[in-house]
Amino acid sequence: MILKIALLQLLPGNSRNEQLEIGKRACKKAKAIGAHIALFPEMWSDGYYIPQNQTELDKLLISADSEFVCEFQALASQLNMAIGITFLEKHEPKPLNSIILFDRHGKEILHYAKVHTCDFDAEKMLCPGSGFYTADLDIDGG
């Protein structure tokens, strides 16, 4: 079997709702051309925008069970395709640069936060993740 991965290189929109719609269209296109997995660019939920003002940053934070993330979980099941959705995750003491990988049934397989963040640029507003992980992924073999 040949594993087909769609690395979604997308231009961000102007709002989280626009990100959602652009992302859903991209996943549907990826499935139509035979992808088993669709992976989003880093921090897709906000187009990798990291405000240096805490109040502005707080407005962009979402949780792992947010409507945005859950829409992609449902889409994975609907399309029978794994989806790795990236987002600026609400977390204390600082937000995380996260990805959740859903299998083709919409089951959460992996939840990872970027470990290597820098403390001298925009990412100084983020907290690093705590480890590296692997997981078994059920993909459609046909």
Side-chain angles (χ1 to χ4, degrees):
M1 178 186 155
I2 296 174
L3 178 65
K4 295 181 181 179
I5 303 172
L7 301 174
L8 304 177
Q9 294 300 303
L10 307 169
L11 291 175
N14 295 313
S15 69
R16 187 174 304 133
N17 285 337
E18 197 171 345
Q19 296 298 88
L20 179 62
E21 293 309 314
I22 292 168
K24 287 168 74 171
R25 281 193 305 270
C27 286
K28 290 172 184 175
K29 182 176 180 181
K31 178 62 178 183
I33 60 174
H36 296 100
I37 306 169
L39 297 175
F40 279 87
E42 198 170 0
M43 287 194 333
W44 179 247
S45 66
D46 73 327
Y48 202 90
Y49 173 58
I50 308 172
Q52 300 301 289
N53 174 287
Q54 190 64 49
T55 302
E56 287 181 47
L57 182 63
D58 289 346
K59 292 177 187 175
L60 300 174
L61 304 180
I62 60 175
S63 63
D65 63 353
S66 68
E67 181 180 345
F68 181 86
V69 173
C70 289
E71 285 272 342
F72 288 103
Q73 180 178 21
L75 187 62
S77 178
Q78 176 189 345
L79 296 177
N80 194 39
M81 176 181 72
I83 295 176
I85 185 62
T86 58
F87 60 105
L88 184 56
E89 185 173 8
K90 181 183 277 188
H91 176 266
E92 291 296 331
K94 293 180 178 181
L96 298 169
N97 177 347
S98 296
I99 183 171
I100 293 181
L101 178 63
F102 296 108
D103 74 5
R104 66 188 180 101
H105 304 290
K107 179 182 174 191
E108 183 179 315
I109 299 300
L110 190 69
H111 186 158
Y112 169 78
K114 183 177 181 181
V115 172
H116 298 294
T117 60
C118 55
D119 60 2
F120 56 85
D121 200 9
E123 286 188 354
K124 69 184 176 200
M125 301 298 286
L126 307 179
C127 190
S130 59
F132 300 99
Y133 311 99
T134 62
D136 291 328
L137 180 63
D138 176 16
I139 59 167
D140 182 14

